[in-house]
Amino acid sequence: MADWTETELSALRRAYASGTTRVSYDGKSVDYGSAEDLLARIRTIERAIAGTTRPLPVAGLAGFSRGDR
């Protein structure tokens, strides 16, 4: 997994909100092909950050028996 930062995510969100596809942060600059590409990157980073900061939900499995089989 790449090490994404809140700084990068904030820069991506600002670029998306302003309608541009060129993003600059931490001395780096990236050109995205379209707003959809930029939004996809934002969603990828949001999912990655959310996955590392909150625990996954625990799912249970329920069972039952009719008693006659």
Side-chain angles (χ1 to χ4, degrees), residues 12-42:
L12 290 166
R13 287 176 175 158
R14 279 192 307 274
Y16 185 76
S18 69
T20 185
T21 57
R22 183 174 187 82
V23 181
S24 298
Y25 62 94
D26 293 337
K28 303 171 190 173
S29 204
V30 180
D31 284 313
Y32 290 88
S34 66
E36 290 79 20
D37 293 341
L38 180 57
L39 184 58
R41 179 71 168 181
I42 291 169

